[in-house]
Amino acid sequence: MNKKYYITTPIYYPSANFHIGHCYTTIIADSLARYKRLDGYEVLFQTGTDEHGEKIENKAKEAGITPKMYVDEVVSNAIDLWKSLNISYDKFIRTTDKLHEQTVSKIFTKLYEQDDIYKGEYKGLYCTPCESFWTPSQAKDNLCPDCGRELKEVSEEAYFLRLSKYQDRLLEYINSHPDFIEPISRKNEMINNFIKPGLEDLCVSRTSFKWGIPVSFDQNHVIYVWIDALSNYITSLGYLTNNDEEFQKFWPADLHLVGKEIVRFHTIIWPIILMALDLPLPHQVFGHGWLIVNGKKLSKSLGNYKDPREYINKYGVDAIRYFCLREVPFGNDGNFSEESLILRTNADLANVLGNLVNRTIGMAEKYFDGIITNTKVKEDIDEKLIDLAISTKQKVDKNMSELHIADALDNIFEIFRQSNKYIDETTPWALAKDPEKNDRLATVIYNLIESIRFGTVLLQAFLPETSAKIFAQINTDACSFNTLDKFGYYKENTKLGKKEVLFARIEEE
Ligand code: MSP
């Protein structure tokens, strides 16, 4: 089995105003990366920042500083946000990194020399905030189909990438690789709205501003930011350099995780660049939906913006992670509100998980001074719990491989729900009244601790902070996926760690 896994998020436009929607892609990618690492894969999880283009040049101008000063300042905001969300990326690429700039320049020159890029004149419509070109037929009322803002007419000498040449090959590839674009609705949209009506060659250079990677053989031009940005997935691996072992090892990527509005770039322009470079295509591009508020995308200008760190400080990082992973079936749009965040946190994290750990440790302390023994006084009722614990990894594996993240979490929470039920059914408080049932009581407590351990081993990919706290409270180092094949890895005679409330119920203000 090939045990490598290369997963990417988009590289973000550096901003001082990241919102919870921006965190969405990255939290999901992080959980997938963590899950694969635990499952024995060598993982490369890459994110970064997309720092060139007219939009950034304008923002720097407004601030009265150079574009480089501007991006240096805001990139630290992304790094800080990912740190506060426990994002375990392996590489953080900036498109202003020298190596990236050099390789993009080489890619552009190579495509020009082999006549996949040619010089012409661009006349048409451009959306500066989205950095995207549109044809009049695509843009109704002169408005950007993606963001609704007014388009600018531009006319300039420019270089073009021959998308049209690769149109049939792309369509054939998409049709013969059913998993390449997911979910299927996005695949159909790409085929029917963009590829089948005919791909026009894409303008890939600009002369009206300077903040970009210059075309090496024609310095008046800077390379179109999407060519620059998409290339990040291979420039970071040393493509076209002497030091390309990572490229050899990790390319093609296993998964590009992207928001639905940029599926077009990742499933049309990017594959065509790769085909022109004679490189294999990524295994999958998954276009997820947006977190929205009352039907609208989150943004500072719409007034529904809050810095995600405010939520993290108020509710804890794992409440935010859990909401993003669990609330919305992956692929669809989902509504975000503080009320639904509170409901989710209370229902699952406080009432199910927090309550289970709290009750179990409380009983272990009360009845056995916090020392866990396995007296093995079994009853039939134990089998259900044990079977569930052992069979869960397989279900989670399947859901994770299909990117059904919310379902994978639900599988894990089934262990916690079942454990709570097991407490109600075995009634430890009644067993505690009868000294002859002391050994059975010890077994019940052992089974509960071992079930908590089973669930937490899986949960650590999603909620790393909470899982570390649970492992500390139950005082175990049996945390690897290798300890999920049988019930009983939890060591006998372990003294529990210090009890701590994981999630207190949040009362709505
Ligand atoms: N720079 C480009 C990507 C280049 S990749 C070669 C870009 N950047 S972005 O900062 O605008 O968006 C980064 C990611 O955040 C995208 O996947 C986008 O879909 C996602 N989100 C931004 N707002 C979002 C929501 N409200 N909800 C979910 N994801 C959203 O695009």
Side-chain angles (χ1 to χ4, degrees):
M1 191 178 28
N2 183 5
K3 293 286 257 183
K4 72 94 196 162
Y5 187 72
Y6 179 25
I7 177 169
T8 68
T9 71
I11 49 173
Y12 287 68
Y13 294 126
S15 162
N17 304 318
F18 285 126
H19 52 64
I20 188 93
H22 287 118
C23 304
Y24 187 71
T25 319
T26 313
I27 291 172
I28 288 162
D30 181 63
S31 296
L32 285 160
R34 285 177 184 269
Y35 194 83
K36 287 286 181 185
R37 281 190 206 111
L38 286 159
D39 217 14
Y41 284 72
E42 188 175 355
V43 171
L44 178 57
F45 167 25
Q46 176 163 304
T47 187
T49 39
D50 184 358
E51 303 184 13
H52 291 125
E54 193 174 1
K55 188 167 55 175
I56 306 271
E57 190 176 274
N58 291 342
K59 282 200 177 147
K61 234 180 250 161
E62 277 165 31
I65 50 177
T66 64
K68 182 70 170 90
M69 281 162 77
Y70 173 78
V71 291
D72 282 349
E73 209 175 287
V74 281
V75 161
S76 59
N77 185 42
I79 292 177
D80 179 72
L81 179 60
W82 301 152
K83 195 164 163 230
S84 64
L85 283 166
N86 283 326
I87 303 301
S88 64
Y89 57 79
D90 301 295
K91 267 184 195 273
F92 188 98
I93 185 168
R94 298 182 55 179
T95 54
T96 50
D97 290 343
K98 274 286 147 288
L99 176 68
H100 171 80
E101 293 188 343
Q102 284 161 1
T103 310
V104 169
S105 176
K106 284 189 210 167
I107 291 173
F108 195 95
T109 308
K110 184 172 158 54
L111 295 179
Y112 178 70
E113 283 169 357
Q114 68 191 41
D115 194 39
D116 279 309
I117 285 180
Y118 62 92
K119 198 168 188 175
E121 199 200 3
Y122 180 77
K123 265 207 182 87
L125 302 167
Y126 192 71
C127 176
T128 307
C130 294
E131 306 276 16
S132 54
F133 296 100
W134 296 99
T135 59
S137 62
Q138 287 168 329
K140 283 194 200 84
D141 304 326
N142 213 31
L143 298 177
C144 171
D146 275 349
C147 74
R149 278 176 273 210
E150 191 141 348
L151 298 169
K152 214 167 61 174
E153 277 216 39
V154 291
S155 156
E156 51 188 60
E157 183 190 81
Y159 288 89
F160 288 84
L161 176 66
R162 293 190 194 280
L163 295 190
S164 52
K165 171 177 159 190
Y166 290 93
Q167 171 174 323
D168 294 343
R169 229 175 108 184
L170 179 63
L171 190 57
E172 147 65 23
Y173 186 90
I174 293 173
N175 284 332
S176 57
H177 294 79
D179 297 336
F180 176 54
I181 309 176
E182 287 269 3
I184 191 144
S185 55
R186 312 241 188 270
K187 170 157 83 179
N188 293 340
E189 186 194 344
M190 290 304 119
I191 294 178
N192 299 328
N193 299 3
F194 292 99
I195 306 176
K196 280 200 173 149
L199 293 178
E200 287 180 26
D201 291 350
L202 177 74
C203 179
V204 290
S205 77
R206 307 289 314 275
T207 51
S208 56
F209 66 92
K210 287 268 157 266
W211 181 238
I213 303 173
V215 171
S216 64
F217 48 88
D218 195 348
Q219 300 271 329
N220 281 336
H221 293 253
V222 293
I223 296 172
Y224 175 41
V225 336
W226 273 98
I227 303 292
D228 171 350
L230 289 161
S231 305
N232 90 83
Y233 302 128
I234 53 177
T235 61
S236 65
L237 306 181
Y239 174 62
L240 291 184
T241 71
N242 293 332
N243 188 1
D244 71 349
E245 290 112 71
E246 273 189 325
F247 177 74
Q248 299 301 341
K249 181 168 180 182
F250 285 105
W251 191 258
D254 295 272
L255 180 63
H256 291 319
L257 209 55
V258 303
K260 62 181 182 181
E261 83 285 15
I262 56 173
V263 168
R264 188 165 66 93
F265 299 94
H266 284 82
T267 58
I268 297 176
I269 303 175
W270 181 226
I272 288 180
I273 295 174
L274 291 166
M275 282 175 175
L277 293 171
D278 207 13
L279 295 176
L281 305 197
H283 292 301
Q284 187 168 87
V285 176
F286 190 98
H288 64 71
W290 289 336
L291 281 189
I292 49 179
V293 171
N294 298 329
K296 290 207 184 85
K297 221 182 151 188
L298 287 137
S299 102
K300 192 146 196 183
S301 54
L302 294 175
N304 55 9
Y305 164 87
K306 214 180 208 182
D307 190 309
R309 279 156 289 209
E310 283 188 39
Y311 299 119
I312 297 172
N313 293 338
K314 197 162 167 192
Y315 302 111
V317 54
D318 281 349
I320 310 303
R321 287 180 63 110
Y322 188 73
F323 181 89
C324 288
L325 294 159
R326 178 68 183 83
E327 184 76 10
V328 185
F330 200 43
N332 300 357
D333 284 351
N335 212 52
F336 173 80
S337 69
E338 216 157 328
E339 290 91 302
S340 42
L341 174 70
I342 292 173
L343 282 176
R344 219 359 125 185
T345 307
N346 282 345
D348 295 358
L349 298 178
N351 290 2
V352 177
L353 176 59
N355 195 20
L356 169 68
V357 174
N358 197 36
R359 282 212 283 176
T360 304
I361 294 188
M363 290 188 295
E365 280 173 350
K366 185 168 169 198
Y367 305 135
F368 299 104
D369 289 328
I371 295 169
I372 306 300
T373 48
N374 187 4
T375 41
K376 297 196 177 140
V377 182
K378 292 183 189 156
E379 286 187 11
D380 287 350
I381 193 172
D382 302 351
E383 288 311 311
K384 198 168 160 199
L385 187 65
I386 295 171
D387 288 350
L388 178 73
I390 294 172
S391 62
T392 298
K393 165 86 170 43
Q394 212 180 359
K395 292 181 224 160
V396 177
D397 274 348
K398 182 165 185 295
N399 277 322
M400 289 301 271
S401 70
E402 293 168 2
L403 301 188
H404 296 158
I405 317 277
D407 294 339
L409 269 171
D410 194 53
N411 297 144
I412 298 170
F413 269 72
E414 188 54 33
I415 299 183
F416 302 138
R417 282 191 294 268
Q418 190 58 44
S419 301
N420 274 322
K421 202 161 160 224
Y422 180 80
I423 297 180
D424 299 340
E425 287 168 352
T426 52
T427 57
W429 49 90
L431 297 175
K433 286 192 186 130
D434 181 350
E436 281 188 12
K437 300 221 167 113
N438 196 50
D439 282 357
R440 171 64 189 154
L441 178 60
T443 301
V444 166
I445 300 292
Y446 181 91
N447 289 346
L448 284 166
I449 294 278
E450 179 64 342
S451 294
I452 291 172
R453 188 191 69 78
F454 254 81
T456 310
V457 168
L458 291 163
L459 191 68
Q460 63 188 313
F462 307 87
L463 308 185
E465 185 182 278
T466 302
S467 304
K469 282 187 191 164
I470 299 174
F471 287 139
Q473 289 189 48
I474 65 173
N475 189 16
T476 186
D477 55 9
C479 310
S480 80
F481 277 8
N482 297 334
T483 63
L484 297 177
D485 58 334
K486 65 169 204 269
F487 212 73
Y489 280 98
Y490 188 79
K491 273 200 209 100
E492 280 251 40
N493 298 320
T494 301
K495 170 98 175 91
L496 294 177
K498 196 165 163 283
K499 188 167 144 202
E500 191 193 335
V501 173
L502 293 172
F503 295 96
R505 260 190 82 80
I506 308 163
E507 300 306 333
E508 264 194 81
E509 284 158 13

